[in-house]
Amino acid sequence: MVCSACHRLVADLDTDYFTLLGLERTYDVDGAVLRKAYLRVSRETHPDRFDASDADEAMQLNARLNEANRVLKDPVLRAEYLLELSGGQSSAENREVPQEILTYTLMTREEIEEAHAANDAGALARIRDQATARHDGTAAEIGALARRLPGDATLRGQLRDALNAMKYHQRILAALDGTDE
Amino acid sequence: MPAHEPIIGIDLGTTFSLVSFCDERGPRILRDERGEGRLPSVIGVTHGSDGKPSIAIGWSARAHAVENARATVYSIKRLIGKSLAEIEQELPFLAYAVTSGPRETIQIEIDGRRYSPEEISSAILRSLKERAAAALGVAVTKAVITVPAYFDDAQRQATRDAASAAGLEVLRILNEPTAAALAYGIGLRERAAADDPETDRQQVAGGANGHVALPMPKCSDSVPADGGEDDIDDADEQLIAVYDLGGGTFDVSILRLEDGVFEVLSTAGDTHLGGDDFDREIITLVTAEVREQFGVDVQSPTARQALRGLAESVKIRLSEAEDASLELDLGEGRLYRRVLTRGEFERRLLPLVRRTLTLCERALRDAGLRRDELTQVVLVGGSTRIPLVRAQVAEHFGKAPYTALNPDEVVALGAGVQASILSGQRSDMLLLDVTPLSLGIETMGGAVGKIILRNARIPCRAQEMFTTFMDGQTAIKIRVLQGERELAAHCRLLAEFELREIPPMPAGIPKVQVEFLIDANGILNVSAVEQRSGQRAAIQVIPNRGLTRAEVERIEQESIAFAKDDIDAHRRIDLVNQIVFDTQKAEQMLARVGSGVDGALRREIEREMASLRAMARDPSDLDALHAALDHFGKRTLPLAEAGVRTALVQGGTQMAREETTTADQRNPEE
């Protein structure tokens, strides 16, 4: 990305996140390896390293690099991204969620409110255990499906469903933590 | 590397500002002729007999703050980039007049002329720029300027505008805690290597020349050879919290330091929490007690300014002493007196200090860390000298905070380090920072759709697609907000953008892709493209606060006119002080040498002395004054020689005593 002869930035803003970071395109990304790759590319391409003539391009490239790091670090976002690369539907194109998840979410939110109102720590702990189990189960399902990408349309559809459901599980946990503000 | 134009580092503080420069010897604070690094962030406007305003900056403005209360502007950093509504709670504490300007900006009114906060800040920046130029012996036009990490877009832009009006190109707006980490990081790295805190302390504190020891590797050392990243040893990793409590703002940043990379993991803060608020606890206490005892309010600008100065000095004394006495002359024989104990003061401060600790917890949570995972807690900012702050931080984090560098200077030193990184001098260090606040777009019903979350690494960008809802619609209005709340009304409206010149199409057909880029300065840039036509949509940026380009230019131009007045004012003060000093000295000499000087010479010196003193009382022609002073200096030369002879005869004691007196005379403001 940096020309060794002239120290000019030769940025290709269309490369995928894995290529940008010099990593193999796979669901299983080791956190430490990703971090080292991220720091290495940052060192080489950060806007601080370039004259004004290259600064805009470096800024764009680093914005993309930071986005790549954010996405690949997070298993759910990583699966979402791999699905996109495999030609699957995006969350904007398909927001469908099974009725069961919607019902579960509504009920759980009510239970959380009631437990808060009654100051019932035991109930909250039970809700949390259940929510965590469902969250972790969906996360495992996402991992298993993402490892089989690109797969066929059915597999990609299943992954889309699991990812859509995941949003609801994440929100329930955030509500329990009080971080959904 | 070719020689570069120097890039200076500036800490534009609420109470004090500093300027630094980093060369191969390391970063150093550039000091004034008295060796003082701090410049009070205070501006005083006075009017000459011709009615033209002249501006005093720094120590002299601060020294005359009480008698010139309505025309002395301080703590401008708390107002910059803000609207009047947002600073309402500040108003009772300001002795100068604040009014509302165009586009919800704030203006300061002095003797019928209005000044923007940017204009006031630019005067401080210009003074620092001149100091740097004098110290470095070359013109200076480029700078890294620090701001509180928690400053929003408007505050950052306003700071940049102020610099631009002072003729400074800002190469980087740098977050203060990050700057401190850069200055400290040098020490921490060496500390890890040396594993000897005492040696390190000396290295960090620097020698007599004020330099921070800083090994400067050659440029070629910086890019690791193939596989160089394998050398990264996890044992070198440091997780540090920078607790920065300054004059007006509080920031906490959590950083990971590894192999020269300073990675900010999260930041939290409050741009209205600092030493000023601690002073106000005392002010509020005194105001209430004065009302109780005498049935009057401390209302006149002069009294308010006097009380403010008193509160600040009491606060400082209570960091050393267990109690401090307060005295306020209310006129008409009314004297308010009381003793304030440290315990009493601390009880009033505690809620404020607790607020900072709550923010520390938020920063830790956002960084995904526990308190005990931190390897170091670093204290920055003058307010961290307060024993209660130190004790609370130590207790909260369960470790003694690290304070090797002067808390007043560390941010400016870090700005100098970043300047040297940008100039290409240092390539072994790299800073990766975050944006402190979430960025969002107002959606239907006044809700906020977040597009960039707080603590996202910068530069960062987000793309959003917009379309029309009416046939043939050619413009779309977008409101951009900053903040964590869910409703637009509770967030900070940064700007309204209008996407124009969209080709007329049926509703919902145009697809305008808007890119929001937060650059490495933490400042938002917006661009848009209509995807079906490939046409770039014109963006009309209507800044919600702050100055237009034309206004910045106007300030810059007017400041050139000001600059001459400023220089004259400075020169006048300097010359008059010099005359007072030289004539006193000559008088002492005449007395001491007695008959050792020729009678005719004595009479001549006495005559010139009288004439110089008369000129100093009404200094109109500065050049004539300068010439007269020069002549007097030559005339008294034989006297000085005679004085030295006498002193040698009388022994060294008197010389020593004389030096003490002259030192005092040189600092009439202290």
Side-chain angles (χ1 to χ4, degrees), chain B residues 156-179:
Chain B
R156 285 166 197 267
Q157 296 235 37
T159 304
R160 194 165 63 174
D161 288 345
S164 168
L168 281 171
E169 183 192 350
V170 180
L171 297 189
R172 177 60 44 82
I173 294 283
L174 179 64
N175 292 330
E176 285 160 10
T178 317

Side-chain angles (χ1 to χ4, degrees), chain B residues 278-290:
Chain B
F278 299 170
D279 298 349
R280 286 170 192 184
E281 287 298 323
I282 298 175
I283 294 170
T284 308
L285 174 78
V286 172
T287 309
E289 290 185 352
V290 163

Side-chain angles (χ1 to χ4, degrees), chain A residues 13 35-36 38-40 42-43 46-49 58-60 62-64 66-67 69 179-181, chain B residues 172 229 256 258-259 261 263 418 422 427 429-432 457-459 461 486 515 517 519-520:
Chain A
L13 290 174
R35 202 175 120 65
K36 279 176 189 175
Y38 168 69
L39 292 184
R40 179 179 56 79
S42 290
R43 274 177 176 285
H46 196 273
D48 287 4
R49 293 272 188 266
M59 201 73 87
Q60 287 288 341
N62 275 268
R64 192 170 165 76
N66 286 329
E67 176 68 6
N69 184 48
T179 53
D180 62 342
E181 277 155 31
Chain B
R172 177 60 44 82
E229 66 268 28
R256 174 155 50 197
E258 190 181 312
D259 196 38
V261 180
E263 226 185 328
Q418 177 65 17
L422 292 177
S427 42
M429 290 167 92
L430 179 66
L431 187 59
L432 304 171
R457 190 66 46 77
I458 51 175
R461 65 175 178 176
E486 295 299 329
E515 183 183 276
L517 177 81
D519 65 18

Side-chain angles (χ1 to χ4, degrees), chain B residues 115-338:
Chain B
Y115 300 83
S116 61
E118 287 89 334
E119 208 164 355
I120 304 289
S121 294
S122 88
I124 298 165
L125 288 166
R126 210 178 321 122
S127 176
L128 294 170
K129 176 183 144 179
E130 281 161 15
R131 178 192 291 184
L136 301 173
V138 287
V140 172
T141 61
K142 292 178 171 163
V144 169
I145 299 184
T146 60
V147 297
Y150 219 60
F151 254 24
D152 66 20
D153 189 85
Q155 291 167 304
R156 285 166 197 267
Q157 296 235 37
T159 304
R160 194 165 63 174
D161 288 345
S164 168
L168 281 171
E169 183 192 350
V170 180
L171 297 189
R172 177 60 44 82
I173 294 283
L174 179 64
N175 292 330
E176 285 160 10
T178 317
L182 273 179
Y184 263 112
I186 299 160
L188 293 175
R189 286 168 74 204
E190 265 122 51
R191 180 189 166 92
D195 200 26
D196 180 351
E198 279 314 303
T199 316
D200 175 60
R201 190 168 293 261
Q202 281 166 8
Q203 277 181 340
V204 171
N209 61 1
H211 279 85
V212 173
L214 189 70
M216 300 296 288
K218 289 190 188 68
C219 182
S220 56
D221 295 347
S222 63
V223 183
D226 283 350
E229 66 268 28
D230 293 337
D231 295 339
I232 295 169
D233 183 350
D234 287 345
D236 288 345
E237 183 187 275
Q238 302 253 4
L239 290 166
I240 69 169
V242 179
Y243 178 101
D244 180 359
L245 190 57
T249 58
F250 171 70
D251 278 326
V252 54
S253 287
I254 312 289
L255 289 98
R256 174 155 50 197
L257 268 68
E258 190 181 312
D259 196 38
V261 180
F262 292 65
E263 226 185 328
V264 181
L265 301 177
S266 66
T267 193
D270 186 333
T271 55
H272 273 238
L273 177 56
D276 278 4
D277 301 282
F278 299 170
D279 298 349
R280 286 170 192 184
E281 287 298 323
I282 298 175
I283 294 170
T284 308
L285 174 78
V286 172
T287 309
E289 290 185 352
V290 163
R291 196 177 298 133
E292 205 172 284
Q293 285 175 30
F294 303 99
V296 292
D297 283 324
V298 184
Q299 229 165 10
S300 76
T302 314
R304 278 192 330 188
Q305 191 74 280
L307 177 53
R308 208 177 63 87
L310 177 69
E312 193 189 356
S313 72
V314 164
K315 172 188 73 179
I316 292 169
R317 269 186 280 152
L318 285 176
S319 285
E320 301 289 331
E322 284 303 319
D323 52 57
S325 55
L326 287 91
E327 228 178 80
L328 193 64
D329 188 349
L330 299 160
E332 296 164 23
R334 290 171 304 196
L335 185 68
Y336 167 83
R337 288 174 108 136
R338 70 111 81 203

